[in-house]
């Protein structure tokens, strides 16, 4: 089985954070942007804006970043390609999807000559129907390939908060801690999940909202319960 390689088209705020996070978690990444200036800076692991931990992530994981280029052909080896190009509001108040249409045209040429099934993930902000009626139609028309059977498309809009973008993007499961408690309740019934969440949050010094009681097991006739907890 070939190694999973991820591609990213559009290295603005969302694209750079995604590039850093994927590479930090061991995913080989290829980045593409139309701006030669952005590409040159990122080749030196220099982000084009400030975001906590971003520069450190890039510097620490530069060996996982395969290449950063303005040439779409470098995406030929990518199995999953994230599209993070801007779709800002135009003067008419409508989303400008010209960048997304341009991406479809360029990606179609890669799909046409690719033997691999690729998954294309649209993270750019679009209104409902845009991906199916415009993006997919253009891809299929130019490439001659059928969506779903010969290539896949998914929509995964991104909402990153400035100052916590990396934390927002990273999967909370990566930070999950698992605990097993022996809860003694002499002459008392087994505590409720809500009560356990309250008490465990106090013991661990975390918010109750971060505590999930997964399982409670009480042996018949015993006053001790085994409680499995996940803390996020």
């Amino acid at each position: 089985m070939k190694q999973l390689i991820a591609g990213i088209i559009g290295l603005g705020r969302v694209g750079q954070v995604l590039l850093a996070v994927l590479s930090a978690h061991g995913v080989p990444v290829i980045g593409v942007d139309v701006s030669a200036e952005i590409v040159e800076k990122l080749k030196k692991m220099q982000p084009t804006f400030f975001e906590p931990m971003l520069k450190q992530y890039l510097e620490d994981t530069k060996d996982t970043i395969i290449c950063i280029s303005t040439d779409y052909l470098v995406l030929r080896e990518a199995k999953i390609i994230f599209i993070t190009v801007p779709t800002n509001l135009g003067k008419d108040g409508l989303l400008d999807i010209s960048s997304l249409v341009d991406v479809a045209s360029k990606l179609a040429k890669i799909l046409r000559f690719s033997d691999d099934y690729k998954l294309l993930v649209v993270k750019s902000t679009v209104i409902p129907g845009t991906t199916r009626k415009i993006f997919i139609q253009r891809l299929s028309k130019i490439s001659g390939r059928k969506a779903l059977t010969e290539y896949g498309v998914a929509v995964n809009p991104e909402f990153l908060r400035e100052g916590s973008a990396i934390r927002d993007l990273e999967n909370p499961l990566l930070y999950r801690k698992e605990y097993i408690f022996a809860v003694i309740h002499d002459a008392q019934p087994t505590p409720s999940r809500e009560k356990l969440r309250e008490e465990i949050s106090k013991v661990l010094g975390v918010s109750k909202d971060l505590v999930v009681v997964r399982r409670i097991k009480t042996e018949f006739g015993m006053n001790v319960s085994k409680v499995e907890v996940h803390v996020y």
Side-chain angles (χ1 to χ4, degrees):
M1 180 182 292
K2 291 184 178 179
Q3 185 180 29
L4 172 66
I5 297 176
I8 302 172
I9 301 174
L11 299 174
R13 179 171 292 273
V14 173
Q16 289 182 42
V17 171
L18 183 60
L19 178 80
V21 170
L22 288 178
S23 60
H25 292 288
V27 179
V29 189
I30 298 169
V32 171
D33 197 277
V34 295
S35 170
E37 181 181 356
I38 289 177
V39 166
E40 288 306 310
K41 285 188 176 181
L42 288 176
K43 282 182 177 180
K44 300 173 184 176
M45 301 301 126
Q46 298 176 358
T48 59
F49 58 92
F50 175 75
E51 178 66 37
M53 301 189 296
L54 179 57
K55 183 173 177 60
Q56 180 183 339
Y57 264 48
L58 289 172
E59 291 176 344
D60 291 348
T61 61
K62 58 185 177 183
D63 293 338
T64 319
I65 299 174
I66 297 174
C67 72
I68 299 172
S69 176
T70 57
D71 188 354
Y72 273 64
L73 290 179
V74 298
L75 294 167
R76 287 177 296 186
E77 299 301 316
K79 293 291 188 181
I80 178 170
I81 300 174
F82 297 92
I83 295 104
T84 61
V85 295
T87 51
N88 300 322
L89 289 176
K91 293 181 179 180
D92 56 2
L94 301 176
L95 288 176
D96 180 0
I97 63 169
S98 58
S99 295
L100 188 63
V101 173
D102 184 58
V103 167
S105 300
K106 293 176 179 177
L107 271 181
K109 297 174 183 177
I110 294 176
L111 290 177
R112 183 191 301 170
F113 300 106
S114 175
D115 296 326
D116 296 328
Y117 185 94
K118 297 185 185 300
L119 174 62
L120 313 178
V121 182
V122 178
K123 296 181 79 66
S124 302
T125 301
V126 294
I127 62 173
T130 302
T131 302
R132 177 171 52 86
K133 297 178 181 179
I134 298 177
F135 186 70
I136 291 177
Q137 283 193 11
R138 191 168 188 83
L139 275 168
S140 294
K141 181 178 181 180
I142 297 175
S143 68
R145 298 297 180 95
K146 294 181 180 180
L148 302 183
T149 57
E150 295 180 288
Y151 69 91
V153 177
V155 178
N156 177 219
E158 197 61 69
F159 302 97
L160 301 179
R161 294 172 296 175
E162 186 175 344
S164 62
I166 288 179
R167 183 70 175 89
D168 288 345
L169 181 59
E170 288 187 311
N171 191 332
L173 289 176
L174 296 172
Y175 293 95
R176 186 182 73 189
K177 294 182 179 180
E178 300 181 5
Y179 296 88
I180 297 178
F181 290 91
V183 179
I184 301 173
H185 43 93
D186 288 330
Q188 298 291 328
T190 302
S192 68
R193 289 178 181 269
E194 186 63 20
K195 181 63 175 178
L196 287 168
R197 289 178 64 210
E198 290 179 1
E199 295 302 320
I200 290 171
S201 67
K202 293 177 184 177
V203 171
L204 298 178
V206 299
S207 168
K208 186 181 73 172
D209 295 335
L210 300 178
V211 177
V212 176
V213 177
R214 294 284 297 162
R215 189 175 292 106
I216 305 171
K217 184 177 182 180
T218 304
E219 296 292 340
F220 180 75
M222 302 292 288
N223 294 319
V224 178
S225 296
K226 178 182 176 182
V227 181
E228 297 180 18
V229 176
H230 288 172
V231 179
Y232 293 86

